[in-house]
């Protein structure tokens, strides 16, 4: 796949322009966009940049990170702090994401989205207030492994790090998670299935397939 060099600023603007015309596939009122990538790839930074660009264009949006929907430590770490299968399959509360984020944005929904549910630092509920996303507002969700859950995204962006860059940019204490991302590439092929691919091995010089 041929990728073109781009700046992060330009990328945010071009993605925002693309989202202005994005229509939900289910006929609802809220387009839903995935910013998929390992934590080291910082897909949330791109989601925030796109949100800012949308705001300048008069389009409301809501950024939701899946790190706010981690399951409690008692469940997440039931089989140990470095259990790879648990990390890949069970760290994120996908049922809560369906219920609190995607459900309210279905056709006939009320647009009341819970932006986060659980604080992993305190291992307690965040007690955040619901946010009303008006019709036409765009959900910008970021996190790892997003494309393996059948979430109803209308556009997907995968921020890719090659194996070497992923290892270099992942804190050493988290290197045990790296095989999960290799498995994700093999099983889901986010680089091939995402609508937009952004390669970010050099964080100063991204490239994309736009």
């Amino acid at each position: 796949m041929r990728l073109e060099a781009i700046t992060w600023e330009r990328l945010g603007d071009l993605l925002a322009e693309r989202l202005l015309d994005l229509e939900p596939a289910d006929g609802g009122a809220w387009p839903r966009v995935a910013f998929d990538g390992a934590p080291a790839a910082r897909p949330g930074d791109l989601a925030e940049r796109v949100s800012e660009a949308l705001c300048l264009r008069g389009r409301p949006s809501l950024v939701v990170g899946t790190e706010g929907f981690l399951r409690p430590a008692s469940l997440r770490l039931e089989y140990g702090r470095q259990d790879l299968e648990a990390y890949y399959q069970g760290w994120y509360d996908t049922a809560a994401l369906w219920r609190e984020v995607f459900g309210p944005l279905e056709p006939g929904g009320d647009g009341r989205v819970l932006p986060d549910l659980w604080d992993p630092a305190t291992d307690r509920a965040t007690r955040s207030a619901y946010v009303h996303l008006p019709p036409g507002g765009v959900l910008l969700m970021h996190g790892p492994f997003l494309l393996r859950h059948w979430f109803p995204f209308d556009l997907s962006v995968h921020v890719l790090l090659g194996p070497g860059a992923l290892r270099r940019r992942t804190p050493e204490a988290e290197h045990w998670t790296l095989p999960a991302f290799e498995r994700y590439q093999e099983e889901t092929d986010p680089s091939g299935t995402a609508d937009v691919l952004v390669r970010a091995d050099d964080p100063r010089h991204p490239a994309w397939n736009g």
Side-chain angles (χ1 to χ4, degrees), residues 2-158:
R2 185 171 180 270
L3 300 177
E4 299 179 357
I6 194 171
T7 66
W8 290 111
E9 292 79 9
R10 181 65 174 154
L11 178 59
D13 286 339
L14 289 176
L15 287 174
E17 290 288 343
R18 183 168 178 175
L19 298 186
L20 292 177
D21 298 322
L22 184 64
E23 296 290 338
D26 61 5
W30 300 276
R32 297 143 300 190
V33 182
F35 290 84
D36 178 60
R42 304 185 68 86
D45 290 356
L46 182 56
E48 292 287 356
R49 189 180 295 277
V50 172
S51 179
E52 292 171 4
L54 283 171
C55 182
L56 292 174
R57 290 159 174 78
R59 189 76 178 265
S61 63
L62 177 64
V63 178
V64 174
T66 58
E67 73 273 7
F69 286 85
L70 285 170
R71 302 172 77 197
S74 60
L75 300 175
R76 203 167 67 243
L77 309 178
E78 181 179 3
Y79 301 103
R81 292 186 176 275
Q82 296 187 2
D83 186 272
L84 195 64
E85 186 68 17
Y87 178 67
Y88 188 62
Q89 300 280 12
W91 271 37
Y92 296 92
D93 193 341
T94 55
L97 286 167
W98 279 104
R99 182 181 67 250
E100 303 291 359
V101 180
F102 292 106
L105 304 182
E106 292 178 349
D110 60 11
R112 291 179 70 252
V113 174
L114 189 65
D116 52 58
L117 178 64
W118 200 259
D119 184 342
T122 63
D123 200 33
R124 296 177 182 272
T126 59
R127 303 189 184 278
S128 294
Y130 283 87
V131 176
H132 181 255
L133 188 62
V138 185
L139 172 69
L140 307 174
M141 178 174 287
H142 63 87
F145 314 132
L146 287 180
L147 305 186
R148 62 178 295 269
H149 296 297
W150 299 99
F151 290 142
F153 293 117
D154 300 296
L155 185 81
S156 57
V157 179
H158 178 62

